[in-house]
Amino acid sequence: MKYSVFILLSLFFSGNALAACGGVSCTGVKITRIVVESDGGTVISTSGDESKLSCDAGSNGYIKLDPSSKNYDSVYSLILTAHTTEHPIWVRTTDSGVCKLIYAVSDR
């Protein structure tokens, strides 16, 4: 009986336990904020702790999307969909300087 309860609790909380930021990525995180700036830039924050990234996420913990990137529209669409549906994703960032999104991955 004790093991059954433990297994059920593990399954229930497993999604949140895997969400984390570190090094150059945030894995299994949810997009908690999207800020569209007036100059065309976009920044995001996640359910992870961006301060643990090797790049500089600033005091607000933001990851910047570059609007001049060739695939910006597709990346923004994926980020917006993940935010709207609260679907966890994986984001890869630069390794130094201001945190910039390199790519995003959504698994099903």
Side-chain angles (χ1 to χ4, degrees), residues 22-41:
V24 294
S25 66
C26 293
T27 307
V29 294
K30 294 182 180 179
I31 303 300
T32 56
R33 176 174 278 180
I34 299 174
V35 178
V36 180
E37 300 168 330
S38 62
D39 65 356

Side-chain angles (χ1 to χ4, degrees), residues 1 4 11 16 18 25 28-29 31 33 43 51 65-66 70 76 78 80 85 90 98 105 108:
M1 181 67 175
S4 298
L11 290 173
N16 291 335
L18 299 176
S25 66
V29 294
I31 303 300
R33 176 174 278 180
V43 294
S51 70
L65 280 70
D66 184 2
K70 200 163 129 180
Y76 182 76
L78 177 62
L80 185 59
T85 62
W90 172 44
V98 173
V105 177
R108 193 106 242 245

Side-chain angles (χ1 to χ4, degrees), residues 9-88:
L9 288 174
S10 296
L11 290 173
F12 183 72
F13 290 109
S14 64
N16 291 335
L18 299 176
C21 293
V24 294
S25 66
C26 293
T27 307
V29 294
K30 294 182 180 179
I31 303 300
T32 56
R33 176 174 278 180
I34 299 174
V35 178
V36 180
E37 300 168 330
S38 62
D39 65 356
T42 303
V43 294
I44 62 168
S45 63
T46 71
S47 58
D49 183 359
E50 285 86 0
S51 70
K52 295 186 179 189
L53 292 169
S54 57
C55 56
D56 180 15
S59 61
N60 293 320
Y62 287 138
I63 300 169
K64 190 166 189 61
L65 280 70
D66 184 2
S68 65
S69 294
K70 200 163 129 180
N71 220 12
Y72 173 81
D73 290 340
S74 296
V75 172
Y76 182 76
S77 178
L78 177 62
I79 296 292
L80 185 59
T81 301
H83 179 63
T84 303
T85 62
E86 297 185 5
H87 182 74

